[in-house]
Amino acid sequence: MPLTLDDVASHNSFKSCWVIIKNKVYDLTEFLPEHPGGQKVILQYAGRDATHAYEPIHPPGILERMLPAERHLGEITEEARRGLNLDGKGKKMTVDEERVQRAQANKLPIDRMLNLHDLERVARQVLPYKALAYWSAAADDEITYAENSRAFGRFFFHPRVLRAVSQCDPATTILGYRTSIPVFVSGASWAKLGHPLGEINITRGAYATGIIQMISFYASLSSRQIADARGSPDQTLFFQLYKHKDDILAAQRIREVESQGYKAIFLTVDALVAGNRERDNRALFEMEDMERAASDNLATKSGTRSNAAAMVAGGGTAGFYLAGDDRDMTWGKTIPWLRGVTNLPLVIKGIQCVEDAVLAVEAGVDGILLSNHGGNSPPPIEVLYKLRKQRPDVFSKLEVYIDGGIRRGTDVLKALCLGARAVGLGRPFLYAQAAYGEEGVVKTVRIIEREVITGMRLLGAATVSDLVPEMVERVDWQAGTKL
Ligand code: HEM
Ligand SMILES: Cc1cc2nc3c(=O)[nH]c(=O)nc-3n(C[C@H](O)[C@H](O)[C@H](O)COP(=O)(O)O)c2cc1C
């Protein structure tokens, strides 16, 4: 017999915890301690609908696989469906959903997008409030986030002239795999928050333009679904790994992606705990405020703790998803262990100083990605510069990449002149697919490609191997500021 909302509502604690996901009711009481994301996050939805929290971050099929059949309690009534309104009929939209719908209807056509900032501007308009807060947030006062991009303004070119550049080829290889431009997608989680196809938009766009996609460990689609979306079995995908504290689980995951055709492991080492991302946390309160204002119910019920408060106390979106990670990884233990598990090339993602770059060489990895996770520590371009100055030998021993704040072809070229093999872009691909789906991803690559080729010609470089350190100078002042 179908269940009513009242039937579900009384099971609202750890003693008996039912939730509704896509009109079906599940008894999660015994599953709570086993949930990889922890109990707290589920308990916030105990006794009510969890579809919006569950859907974008769980690959399909896991309920069937992980929850015994007797815990699948059945459908909700027609009336309950109307009340929740997941099928859209007669549902009262939230203030934010109405705004998104208007923004989607009025967004500029894609051919008006001239640079990556234009694409980001559209994404900021069409994204749900919470998704934008999660994607755009950075640590504390977000100083390093802003500085990631600004830092490129301290590097100036010394172009060479009278060189033949009518044939200009920006193609290169990363770990031996061809890419049409020296740019790859840096894995960033939960693309479906911004578009129903999520990461698949990026996979298809990367195929159409010949670049390589690294997928996030916390992609909103399974690694199998993303692998299946490749344009051909030869399309190169890399896998970003958060190593689980349980070695057996971690090894299983690596072998799984290896068998799915992923060509390299990028081990992330700079996010053992979630940074303090206040923009993301504040968004939860702000959304509650918006709804209260719209419903003329401005008073918060005294004595009740809002859902937002519970979520923030749990560490916000990022806080939940790092719960199972190995916080005791070391050079001596983890890298040899990984080498024992897989023959895939190994790249360390999240190197933030010269000393660790040198340790990575000693550990014998295939590459390092200088990264501050999009905004937590010194700008990666500055780390790259120091590495070039202090330990130029490193560049001949492994491949060096950077990501963080790269938004222009000239940023790419500055990094390449200093010795980077290629650069990663994180947010720009999330934003582009949220704004225009696969087409947005293709547009992003085409814009960067045009800017890279223009820059190469003006620098006197016909191929990426013509880009050398002497073509870049670092100054102590910032472009656009008075001396
Ligand atoms: C109220 C419902 C739920 C919410 C709000 C929720 C939330 C979350 C969050 C925030 C994470 C990320 C944390 C992490 O992976 O460490 C997560 C992960 C996960 N959850 Fe849930 N969850 C819910 C229900 C479920 C259910 C019913 C299942 C399966 C029966 C499930 C299976 C998983 C799995 C397998 C992961 C790890 C995903 C991965 O490794 O990619 N969750 N969940
Ligand atoms: C919303 C968001 C989610 C991210 N998720 C992951 C992740 O799951 N794993 C990871 O290694 N890095 C993650 N990153 C970091 C990116 O891989 C990359 O280092 C960063 O986005 C580069 O900076 P950019 O966004 O300025 O290009 C994430 C970044 C953002 C903004």
Side-chain angles (χ1 to χ4, degrees):
M1 189 150 114
L3 296 151
T4 65
L5 292 183
D6 282 344
D7 293 335
V8 181
S10 53
H11 299 269
N12 60 358
S13 73
F14 69 93
K15 288 186 193 142
S16 181
C17 170
W18 293 10
V19 299
I20 305 170
I21 297 171
K22 291 214 278 186
N23 297 329
K24 291 189 178 144
V25 182
Y26 300 94
D27 178 355
L28 301 184
T29 318
E30 289 181 10
F31 174 71
L32 282 172
E34 291 160 33
H35 181 235
Q39 313 196 18
K40 264 198 229 162
V41 64
I42 294 188
L43 283 169
Q44 291 167 62
Y45 295 93
R48 56 196 192 96
D49 183 60
T51 310
H52 291 301
Y54 178 89
E55 264 267 279
I57 58 174
H58 295 82
I62 55 173
L63 267 163
E64 290 68 23
R65 272 208 317 275
M66 295 180 67
L67 199 68
E70 64 272 20
R71 308 280 168 214
H72 295 231
L73 304 180
E75 305 255 335
I76 52 170
T77 60
E78 263 311 310
E79 199 192 341
R81 277 172 195 247
R82 279 196 300 277
L84 294 177
N85 177 27
L86 293 167
D87 43 17
K89 285 180 221 137
K91 181 194 171 196
K92 188 177 174 315
M93 284 204 281
T94 64
V95 176
D96 194 45
E97 284 164 348
E98 280 176 352
R99 177 193 59 76
V100 168
Q101 197 177 52
R102 277 196 307 275
Q104 278 289 2
N106 295 321
K107 73 183 175 201
L108 290 170
I110 193 163
D111 49 12
R112 292 271 298 270
M113 301 296 110
L114 299 186
N115 58 41
L116 267 47
H117 303 299
D118 292 345
L119 281 154
E120 177 170 336
R121 214 168 293 126
V122 174
R124 284 176 176 274
Q125 287 158 3
V126 303
L127 271 171
Y129 200 77
K130 182 70 183 69
L132 176 60
Y134 174 57
W135 287 356
S136 63
D140 290 348
D141 298 310
E142 303 188 346
I143 291 169
T144 48
Y145 165 70
E147 195 58 27
N148 272 359
S149 285
R150 252 169 59 99
F152 284 95
R154 290 193 288 273
F155 292 84
F156 284 76
F157 288 121
H158 290 292
R160 301 300 306 268
V161 295
L162 290 173
R163 292 177 165 197
V165 289
S166 70
Q167 302 296 317
C168 182
D169 182 7
T172 187
T173 59
I174 303 175
L175 300 167
Y177 295 96
R178 189 180 189 282
T179 172
S180 60
I181 53 173
V183 168
F184 59 89
V185 180
S186 265
S189 52
W190 299 337
K192 265 172 94 175
L193 291 174
H195 190 287
L197 287 179
E199 286 78 7
I200 283 183
N201 285 317
I202 304 180
T203 313
R204 291 181 179 157
Y207 179 70
T209 54
I211 67 159
I212 298 173
Q213 175 187 14
M214 174 216 306
I215 73 153
S216 158
F217 190 82
Y218 291 114
S220 35
L221 294 161
S222 70
S223 51
R224 156 64 53 213
Q225 287 173 311
I226 298 173
D228 287 348
R230 280 174 298 184
S232 91
D234 299 335
Q235 179 178 351
T236 311
L237 296 176
F238 296 152
F239 184 74
Q240 177 267 315
L241 178 75
Y242 281 123
K243 185 190 165 290
H244 199 280
K245 53 190 169 204
D246 179 336
D247 283 1
I248 296 172
L249 290 182
Q252 270 169 6
R253 190 75 184 105
I254 295 167
R255 296 206 180 99
E256 190 178 40
V257 296
E258 192 168 354
S259 72
Q260 291 164 351
Y262 288 80
K263 295 289 191 286
I265 301 291
F266 280 61
L267 173 71
T268 298
V269 292
D270 65 350
L272 296 185
V273 293
N276 174 34
R277 297 151 59 91
E278 290 171 8
R279 182 191 297 276
D280 185 32
N281 291 338
R282 191 173 295 116
L284 295 157
F285 295 115
E286 288 167 344
M287 287 172 75
E288 284 190 345
D289 290 348
M290 276 193 261
E291 290 312 313
R292 267 200 300 276
S295 67
D296 263 358
N297 171 17
L298 287 164
T300 316
K301 274 192 240 155
S302 59
T304 13
R305 196 159 181 236
S306 70
N307 292 323
M311 181 77 179
V312 169
T317 318
F320 288 115
Y321 79 76
L322 297 169
D325 284 5
D326 187 348
R327 293 181 182 158
D328 295 318
M329 291 189 289
T330 61
W331 291 107
K333 183 180 68 173
T334 311
I335 311 303
W337 173 83
L338 266 169
R339 283 293 191 210
V341 172
T342 178
N343 290 324
L344 289 176
L346 189 56
V347 177
I348 307 293
K349 176 176 188 288
I351 296 287
Q352 297 154 80
C353 64
V354 174
E355 291 80 356
D356 281 342
V358 172
L359 288 177
V361 171
E362 287 166 12
V365 298
D366 302 281
I368 52 174
L369 173 47
L370 309 181
S371 171
N372 61 12
H373 219 87
N376 293 326
S377 57
I381 186 71
E382 294 284 6
V383 181
L384 178 68
Y385 178 71
K386 273 197 182 159
L387 190 61
R388 160 63 54 198
K389 292 282 256 195
Q390 294 173 16
R391 293 299 301 260
D393 55 308
V394 164
F395 294 89
S396 60
K397 297 191 176 129
L398 42 66
E399 294 193 355
V400 178
Y401 324 105
I402 75 165
D403 76 15
I406 293 159
R407 301 293 182 265
R408 287 284 186 186
T410 45
D411 299 341
V412 179
L413 295 174
K414 287 171 186 175
L416 262 72
C417 286
L418 290 173
R421 180 93 197 168
V423 307
L425 271 64
R427 291 182 186 84
F429 286 110
L430 287 179
Y431 288 141
Q433 61 95 31
Y436 298 102
E438 175 187 343
E439 240 190 319
V441 175
V442 171
K443 187 78 179 179
T444 300
V445 180
R446 296 294 175 226
I447 288 171
I448 286 278
E449 179 180 51
R450 176 173 42 77
E451 292 182 352
V452 163
I453 292 178
T454 305
M456 283 175 71
R457 288 198 164 120
L458 292 172
L459 276 172
T463 68
V464 291
S465 56
D466 296 330
L467 298 163
V468 290
E470 299 73 51
M471 286 177 169
V472 163
E473 181 189 353
R474 187 191 182 284
V475 295
D476 282 331
W477 47 277
Q478 181 78 40
T481 53
K482 289 208 174 97
L483 284 176

